[in-house]
């Protein structure tokens, strides 16, 4: 079994010849965590069919293009999420290559994976999100080619240090903010581009699930088409301001 | 200029030979209104690259596969939404076929359309949603073929009467419900499959924009992966129970 995104994709391409579709499938925070790969590949690939499914949607409304020339990437930290386990099983039965990202290499989900990637604790580059993006970069580079491949890996090499420094830098302000807003009943989150999924997981996992605070992740580009109307001085918003090309959307909102 | 989804797609295919990608692009309620076409085509097509963009995301992060063999379908009731007007312009400049759905055939958006479809007032089959789905069905049938084509058109022929009857049937209960919950500060909506976009537009247009009630559209398949934790006896949810194959997700939630 190949160990890393690069060799995993190389092995799959060697076995299958061509890849026509790539599906990113998970639930909740893991669903959001796969989004960077989907977002990158959808935007950069000229040929591949790409989509992002909540697992049970994939199980009940399986896309017709799923087959031998597909790759299905699933993720579950525990490896026990039943609908994600089922999705990987459906992928394998259809003849697709099943890549699983999980902390538990002996879990039911891992058993439905042709390849299993275990995130490195404390790393961003080799987190579930990082693996999703690396897999997407490898799929693109090994099929159509990707001109910014070296730069991308340069970024992966540096991101852990950048995140570590940023965390240290922001922690005191974040703690102050958290204490100010800890009793709120409702906090909106907002983002665009690949940060939209960060806004989503922050809303459903951190605020709703862990803090029991009502929330909703709004796409920055949608803010002025409805959500704007509920904005007043009292309603807190967390904007995940993107560094990328969709930053103008976040700034406008 | 061709008048109807069938002839519009036939003309585009005659001019372009092949179609490789289809993008559905709009904002807010119009964005949600295009979802049925995206959902159908993504699920049923074996070859086509398909995606659904909030307009400004499409403008700032334009997909690489946009080109002469693309169709871009945009929608805005007024035809004035600036980022949607811009998206249709980007589509035309890239050589894609630009199909516009708008109530105003002389609007700026319509001027960026190679084909303009005007929804019929009071009709579901020929609403923006209906046109989105009909365009998707035509694209599939005229490229890869669609075995349920006749049945689908049978459905289009019957849907207006079905919706009319359902509206009459449900109106008294809906009015009673509305009066009971009119002072709520927060109402969640939920759905799956193509009904997820109905839950979304209900949340952002009807509740947030028009009623100033906080809301969030939750995918039924995601409910148990975070949002479940904020559910108590007091929090109202509107579930758009699907008639289709993702109904088990809605029932479970």
């Amino acid at each position: 079994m190949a160990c890393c995104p690069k060799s995993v994709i190389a092995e799959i391409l060697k076995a299958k010849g061509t890849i026509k579709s790539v599906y990113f499938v998970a639930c909740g925070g893991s669903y959001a965590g796969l989004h960077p790969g989907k977002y990158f590949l959808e935007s950069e690939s000229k040929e591949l069919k790409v989509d992002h499914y909540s697992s049970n949607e994939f199980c009940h409304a399986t896309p017709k293009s799923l087959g031998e020339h597909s790759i299905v990437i699933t993720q579950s930290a525990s490896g026990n999420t039943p609908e994600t386990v089922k999705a990987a099983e459906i992928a394998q039965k259809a003849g697709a290559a099943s890549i699983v990202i999980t902390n538990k290499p002996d879990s039911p989900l891992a058993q439905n994976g042709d390849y299993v990637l275990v995130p490195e604790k404390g790393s961003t580059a080799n987190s579930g999100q990082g693996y999703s993006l690396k897999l997407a970069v490898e799929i693109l580079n090994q099929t159509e080619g990707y001109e910014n491949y070296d730069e991308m890996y340069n970024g992966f090499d540096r991101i852990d240090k950048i995140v570590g420094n940023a965390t240290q830098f922001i922690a005191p302000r974040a703690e102050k903010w958290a204490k100010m807003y800890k009793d709120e009943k409702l906090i909106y989150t907002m983002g665009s581009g690949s940060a939209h999924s960060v806004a989503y997981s922050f809303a459903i996992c951190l605020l709703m699930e862990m803090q029991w605070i009502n929330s909703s992740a709004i796409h920055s580009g949608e803010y002025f088409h409805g959500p704007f109307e509920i904005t007043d001085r009292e309603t807190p918003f967390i904007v995940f301001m993107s560094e990328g090309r969709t930053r103008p959307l976040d700034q406008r909102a």
Side-chain angles (χ1 to χ4, degrees), chain A residues 25-27 54-59 80-88:
Chain A
V25 183
C27 293
S54 181
S55 303
N56 227 357
E57 182 91 43
F58 186 83
C59 295
N80 276 324
T81 311
E83 53 266 54
T84 308
V85 175
K86 179 80 186 165

Side-chain angles (χ1 to χ4, degrees), chain A residues 122-250:
Chain A
S123 165
T124 298
N126 294 323
S127 63
Q129 276 183 316
Y131 278 145
S132 167
L133 185 55
K134 280 184 176 176
L135 287 165
V137 169
E138 289 300 338
I139 291 168
L140 183 67
N141 193 51
Q142 294 185 38
T143 55
E144 302 171 26
Y146 179 47
E147 56 180 357
N148 300 313
Y149 182 83
D150 292 339
E151 236 177 306
M152 182 65 95
Y153 266 85
N154 185 326
F156 283 130
D157 289 343
R158 295 166 58 202
I159 192 69
D160 283 354
K161 198 164 175 199
I162 292 169
V163 169
N165 289 343
T167 307
Q168 263 194 317
F169 177 73
I170 211 74
R173 274 167 62 197
E175 198 179 333
K176 202 173 148 193
W177 188 93
K179 282 178 182 158
M180 270 176 73
Y181 291 97
K182 72 182 169 54
D183 296 323
E184 292 291 335
K185 300 271 174 277
L186 169 70
I187 300 175
Y188 284 104
T189 67
M190 195 146 61
S192 67
S194 64
H196 183 226
S197 56
V198 182
Y200 177 73
S201 64
F202 199 94
I204 70 159
C205 300
L206 303 193
L207 295 175
M208 295 171 98
E209 189 170 25
M210 296 184 187
Q211 304 290 332
W212 297 357
I213 294 173
N214 290 293
S215 186
S216 175
I218 297 164
H219 190 286
S220 313
E222 295 281 287
Y223 174 66
F224 287 107
H225 302 281
F228 169 72
E229 290 291 340
I230 47 75
T231 310
D232 58 27
R233 286 188 188 194
E234 312 301 323
T235 311
F237 276 75
I238 302 173
V239 181
F240 292 83
M241 187 82 76
S242 168
E243 287 290 332
R245 55 197 173 161
T246 63
R247 189 175 177 89
L249 279 66
D250 306 328

Side-chain angles (χ1 to χ4, degrees), chain A residues 21-148:
Chain A
S21 56
V22 182
Y23 296 104
F24 295 86
V25 183
C27 293
S30 292
Y31 168 79
L34 291 180
H35 184 247
K38 185 270 174 182
Y39 186 83
F40 170 84
L41 208 50
E42 165 58 36
S43 184
E44 297 295 325
S45 163
K46 289 185 179 161
E47 305 290 341
L48 289 164
K49 211 168 147 61
V50 183
D51 216 341
H52 188 206
Y53 280 84
S54 181
S55 303
N56 227 357
E57 182 91 43
F58 186 83
C59 295
H60 287 270
T62 311
K64 288 264 171 68
S65 58
L66 179 71
E68 285 182 19
H69 295 285
S70 307
I71 295 176
V72 176
I73 300 168
T74 50
Q75 178 171 225
S76 160
S78 69
N80 276 324
T81 311
E83 53 266 54
T84 308
V85 175
K86 179 80 186 165
E89 184 192 322
I90 288 171
Q92 283 193 319
K93 282 193 177 156
S98 168
I99 305 176
V100 163
I101 303 172
T102 180
N103 293 335
K104 304 282 178 190
D106 52 357
S107 61
L109 179 58
Q111 283 161 31
N112 292 341
D114 303 314
Y115 303 92
V116 178
L117 295 171
V118 178
E120 278 175 33
K121 221 175 158 178
S123 165
T124 298
N126 294 323
S127 63
Q129 276 183 316
Y131 278 145
S132 167
L133 185 55
K134 280 184 176 176
L135 287 165
V137 169
E138 289 300 338
I139 291 168
L140 183 67
N141 193 51
Q142 294 185 38
T143 55
E144 302 171 26
Y146 179 47
E147 56 180 357
N148 300 313

